[in-house]
Amino acid sequence: GCIIDEKTIPAHPAVYDEFPENLLPELAGYLKEHGIEKLYCHQTEMFEKVTSGKNVVITTSTASGKTLSFLLPVLQDILKNPLTRAIFIYPTKALAADQYRAIAPYLEYFGENRIVAGVYDGDTPVAERTRIRQSANIILTNPEMVNGAFLPNHSKFGFDFIFTNLKFVVIDELHTYRGVFGSHLANVFRRLHRVCRYYGSLPVFLCSSATIANPVELAEEICGRKFVRIERDGSPAAERTYLLIK
């Protein structure tokens, strides 16, 4: 007698696409070696939009492969140009560490002479920070470090090289940046834009978010850029039943 409403969402199979034509053969080879013969349709769509220079927010379901969606175009650019720099921003240090472990197989496969990454936060030792600033293509960090370490020191310690070659800014868990926290991050990105203009760079912004009512509006307000949205989810899902209990 406690159930006042019930809704069942039917199962749906995966929707696959072939690898994009412009995907580097070595990246395709890595995917095939790890059992990925095709990409979900949203992964292909994001790759194509990002490589065409668009700022993208993706809102597919949990465990749908969003990390691979934004990682593939970044790795493609790094493999083509080793000077490429990308900053991956996560709301917590724990999440940044988790995502570094997800990236680690790519680093091992391609080798440190091709792709270098590192977590840059308050727990990172001084020597490791220096290594990351000097050689890391992908820097995983959080908003506080961008605000307190990267931007105030943009002209020294190697940050000038990072900003000069900054091609991508990835913001994971975009939906967590709302209210006062979101306003602070929006101001941080306004500073980031000014610094990037000073060094002649124009990074592409890639955001991932849970399903919310206004992901494009949120991304544009926080990042200060125009965005396109990817919402068609190609990952498979089992039948789900939701019960509303009073």
Side-chain angles (χ1 to χ4, degrees):
C2 296
I3 299 174
I4 59 175
D5 196 16
E6 178 177 342
K7 182 177 182 179
T8 298
I9 299 177
H12 63 80
V15 179
Y16 293 104
D17 275 340
E18 299 293 337
F19 293 145
E21 291 184 1
N22 57 336
L23 182 69
L24 288 176
E26 51 192 331
L27 266 177
Y30 170 87
L31 295 173
K32 289 178 180 178
E33 282 191 24
H34 289 76
I36 303 174
E37 297 291 335
K38 294 182 180 181
L39 296 176
Y40 293 138
C41 61
H42 61 270
Q43 294 172 330
T44 301
E45 183 182 0
M46 185 158 188
F47 183 90
E48 291 171 345
K49 290 187 183 301
V50 174
T51 52
S52 67
K54 291 182 170 59
N55 304 297
V56 181
V57 56
I58 183 169
T59 58
T60 54
S61 60
T62 301
S64 62
K66 288 197 287 285
T67 297
L68 183 60
S69 298
F70 58 69
L71 192 56
L72 275 182
V74 173
L75 294 177
Q76 170 110 341
D77 202 285
I78 292 171
L79 291 171
K80 286 183 174 181
N81 178 12
L83 297 182
T84 293
R85 296 295 182 263
I87 297 176
F88 286 35
I89 300 174
Y90 298 93
T92 65
K93 292 190 289 187
L95 187 54
D98 285 343
Q99 289 302 304
Y100 178 79
R101 287 190 286 270
I103 294 174
Y106 296 90
L107 307 180
E108 182 179 352
Y109 181 85
F110 290 104
E112 287 196 356
N113 61 325
R114 302 292 306 282
I115 303 173
V116 181
V119 177
Y120 199 108
D121 60 29
D123 296 332
T124 307
V126 173
E128 175 67 4
R129 292 189 184 194
T130 301
R131 181 194 73 85
I132 292 171
R133 291 196 303 268
Q134 291 177 346
S135 60
N137 304 105
I138 298 174
I139 303 173
L140 299 93
T141 188
N142 54 66
E144 289 76 16
M145 291 301 293
V146 174
N147 181 55
F150 288 51
L151 296 175
N153 299 299
H154 66 82
S155 62
K156 49 191 174 182
F157 307 130
F159 285 116
D160 52 345
F161 181 83
I162 293 171
F163 286 117
T164 298
N165 295 282
L166 186 61
K167 297 288 186 66
F168 300 98
V169 177
V170 176
I171 304 104
D172 201 8
E173 305 292 330
L174 179 72
H175 54 279
T176 63
Y177 300 111
R178 50 187 146 189
V180 174
F181 192 19
S183 298
H184 286 325
L185 187 62
N187 283 318
V188 169
F189 282 144
R190 299 310 183 269
R191 292 177 62 201
L192 176 68
H193 290 321
R194 291 197 295 272
V195 170
C196 288
R197 284 196 299 270
Y198 179 79
Y199 289 103
S201 61
L202 185 66
V204 171
F205 283 76
L206 313 178
C207 302
S208 70
S209 172
T211 302
I212 56 176
N214 59 340
V216 172
E217 179 185 358
L218 180 62
E220 292 179 346
E221 289 291 334
I222 289 179
C223 301
R225 296 281 179 80
K226 289 295 182 182
F227 275 79
V228 296
R229 179 184 181 185
I230 295 176
E231 57 182 325
R232 183 191 178 199
D233 192 341
S235 62
E239 182 180 283
R240 290 167 291 172
T241 298
Y242 296 91
L243 304 177
L244 184 59
I245 302 174
K246 64 178 180 178

